[in-house]
Amino acid sequence: MVRRKYFQHSRIPGGPTLATRLRRVAYRGLPYAENIAYDSDADATRIVAAWMGSPGHRSNILHPRLRYAGVGVAMRIPDTPPGLGSTYTMDYGGTLD
């Protein structure tokens, strides 16, 4: 997201959706979800607090079938030009059975 200067869940300009990215790494768990955030001065603790204050993001974090998580952090934000700050992505995966 930072390199391509966009901030979206579903469609990367010229790139794959979350579902496609999961299939590419042979992940077959259901359900799956994603939380994303960026800020010029927020740390990970404040990002998670913001997610917990948002009903949709909180639902992803607390969903009983989302048992696996992967975290990504980029040390820039997807502005034009890229600015100082951090971009966070947390992908969640469901049961594999």
Side-chain angles (χ1 to χ4, degrees):
M1 287 187 280
V2 172
R3 183 180 43 219
R4 294 183 180 175
K5 299 177 183 69
Y6 81 97
F7 187 72
Q8 296 178 22
H9 286 285
S10 59
R11 295 279 178 204
I12 300 169
T17 64
L18 173 59
T20 299
R21 294 192 322 262
L22 292 173
R23 279 193 302 272
R24 283 183 182 167
V25 296
Y27 187 82
R28 301 284 186 251
L30 290 173
Y32 54 83
E34 178 178 62
N35 287 349
I36 59 176
Y38 77 88
D39 198 299
S40 59
D41 64 354
D43 62 18
T45 301
R46 291 196 302 193
I47 294 295
V48 173
W51 284 339
M52 290 301 286
S54 161
H57 294 99
R58 181 183 179 90
S59 176
N60 289 344
I61 293 168
L62 299 178
H63 193 293
R65 289 190 54 214
L66 294 173
R67 297 182 180 185
Y68 307 100
V71 178
V73 179
M75 303 313 287
R76 291 284 200 183
I77 60 176
D79 283 343
T80 306
L84 296 178
S86 299
T87 301
Y88 300 84
T89 302
M90 190 153 185
D91 292 339
Y92 307 90
T95 58
L96 297 171
D97 50 319

